[in-house]
Amino acid sequence: MTWHVLGAGSLGGLWATRLARAGQPVRLILRDSSRLTAYRAAGGLSLIEDGQTHCYPIPGETAAASTPIRRLLLACKAYDAEAAVASLASRLLPNAELILLQNGLGSQATVAASVPHSRCILASSTEGAFRDGDFRVVFAGHGHTWLGDPLDATQPTWFEQLTSSGIPCEWTPDILSRLWRKLALNCAINPLSVLYDCRNGGLLEHPLEVATLCAELAALLQASGHAAAAIDLQADVQRVIRATAENYSSMQQDVSQRRRTEISYLLGQACAVAARYHTDVPHLDALQQRLRAHLTAHGLPSN
Ligand code: NAD
Ligand code: KPL
């Protein structure tokens, strides 16, 4: 069974090269014919691990190819997910399986609604990877990926292929709780790290602001039916701030490299769900407004 991987970026590249290295059949779906030409000219996808570079000549195609898709790893940003799936929806076999690697929440529900005959498996990952050039992925941080399906707790038969390919992952019956917990961590850390333009450790100088956000996020998680994701949130946020004190958050990196952020799927989603559940989150609302204004002032999309 072929693994189609849409998105030759950081996480897509990391998964595609590990699957290919383990002998799994993989096909990479590039954005358009000019990217496909550039990819073929590069000779494949390179993975840089511990300073060693290996190039994997994974076959590439665009969404316009006609071969059917049984299993798709969707590895684009949350704001690209809906359009990416629409571009190849006609190729999905009935009961195709999609693994959605997007961070935050919101894009997964939109994608799932657009492909009602497919199974959508959600993922939450703490692995780290970045691109240091076209079709070159650097493995940057050990982590873990949880996968699950909120509609069906049955572990897919192919799950073993992931672990035997060296992808550290676990099947969980409560993926939504995992995604909400990560969203809360990201909401407590990432926007402030952008506004203060600091490493995560810089937030140790703003303990009250972080604690106030954690209290609102915990109340929101409880009100929206994700009480387990609220347990010890503030302590966990402090732990992550200390553990990643020397790092820049992903959102801070996006802004400093002038890339669009995933704000709408993190803080935007938290504030939207709070409004739906009539939960007051004045500090999260104010943070969202400040962040959107900051992005606009820096010439970046505010959504
Ligand atoms: P990325 O920008 O490095 O890669 C995304 C790729 O998708 C790009 O190459 C882009 O051109 C491609 N793409 C977008 N639309 C496409 C389309 N229609 N057809 C084909 N290709 C298309 O992004 P990333 O860092 O790999 O992040 C992907 C998701 O994973 C995000 O939601 C991110 O938050 C999450 N995530 C990333 C990391 C990490 O370390 N990079 C860790 C955890 C979670
Ligand atoms: O996930 C993160 C990110 O930077 O996106 C951490 C390190 C947890 C900070 O929120």
Side-chain angles (χ1 to χ4, degrees):
M1 189 78 69
T2 299
W3 289 87
H4 282 89
V5 178
L6 182 141
S10 311
L11 229 43
L14 189 60
W15 281 55
T17 52
R18 291 190 294 203
L19 287 165
R21 180 169 62 190
Q24 297 293 337
V26 182
R27 292 191 73 82
L28 207 55
I29 301 175
L30 282 299
R31 200 184 263 278
D32 53 34
S33 54
S34 72
R35 292 302 290 160
L36 181 57
T37 304
Y39 173 71
R40 286 182 175 151
L45 206 48
S46 290
L47 176 66
I48 298 105
E49 263 179 315
D50 301 324
Q52 304 278 333
T53 305
H54 283 104
C55 184
Y56 297 87
I58 297 167
E61 62 186 41
T62 66
S66 54
T67 43
I69 297 176
R70 178 82 185 83
R71 194 183 299 151
L72 176 72
L73 183 68
L74 189 68
C76 57
K77 298 279 195 184
Y79 46 76
D80 282 328
E82 185 182 6
V85 168
S87 73
L88 45 67
S90 62
R91 293 175 59 190
L92 294 173
L93 287 168
N95 301 321
E97 290 167 298
L98 279 63
I99 302 177
L100 311 182
L101 275 181
Q102 289 62 48
N103 198 17
L105 279 157
S107 67
Q108 299 90 339
T110 307
V111 165
S114 74
V115 287
H117 302 297
S118 299
R119 183 184 191 194
C120 286
I121 289 165
L122 281 43
S124 178
S125 183
T126 61
E127 287 207 280
F130 64 89
R131 287 179 279 168
D132 75 348
D134 262 4
F135 312 117
R136 289 175 54 87
V137 179
V138 182
F139 178 48
H142 292 276
H144 203 79
T145 303
W146 284 268
L147 295 107
D149 175 354
L151 302 178
D152 178 358
T154 320
Q155 179 172 308
T157 47
W158 44 259
F159 196 79
E160 171 84 348
Q161 289 179 16
L162 299 180
T163 45
S164 61
S165 301
I167 297 171
C169 58
E170 197 177 312
W171 183 255
T172 171
D174 201 3
I175 187 65
L176 286 178
S177 189
R178 291 270 172 201
L179 281 160
W180 269 108
R181 177 65 161 216
K182 176 127 196 293
L183 182 151
L185 281 161
N186 287 158
C187 286
I189 298 173
N190 298 14
L192 287 179
S193 73
V194 171
L195 294 171
Y196 287 117
D197 194 18
C198 66
R199 294 175 199 265
N200 290 350
L203 301 185
L204 293 169
E205 289 167 31
H206 305 281
L208 276 181
E209 228 173 328
V210 174
T212 307
L213 295 176
C214 287
E216 288 189 359
L217 287 161
L220 168 61
L221 292 171
Q222 276 156 357
S224 59
H226 300 286
I231 296 168
D232 293 335
L233 177 64
Q234 191 184 335
D236 204 21
V237 166
Q238 288 300 337
R239 182 192 60 76
V240 171
I241 288 176
R242 287 180 199 283
T244 61
E246 290 306 310
N247 301 351
Y248 287 104
S249 76
S250 55
M251 192 180 270
Q252 199 282 345
Q253 292 181 46
D254 282 342
V255 173
S256 64
Q257 290 167 33
R258 308 201 50 72
R259 293 189 303 240
R260 183 176 172 184
T261 71
E262 293 182 303
I263 178 178
S264 296
Y265 304 89
L266 297 167
L267 201 46
Q269 183 69 10
C271 293
V273 172
R276 205 179 307 147
Y277 283 89
H278 307 290
T279 304
D280 279 341
V281 288
H283 294 85
L284 286 170
D285 285 334
L287 184 66
Q288 179 178 206
Q289 278 185 21
R290 281 169 64 202
L291 182 59
R292 290 195 194 275
H294 180 94
L295 295 173
T296 303
H298 285 75
L300 290 169
S302 65
N303 63 346

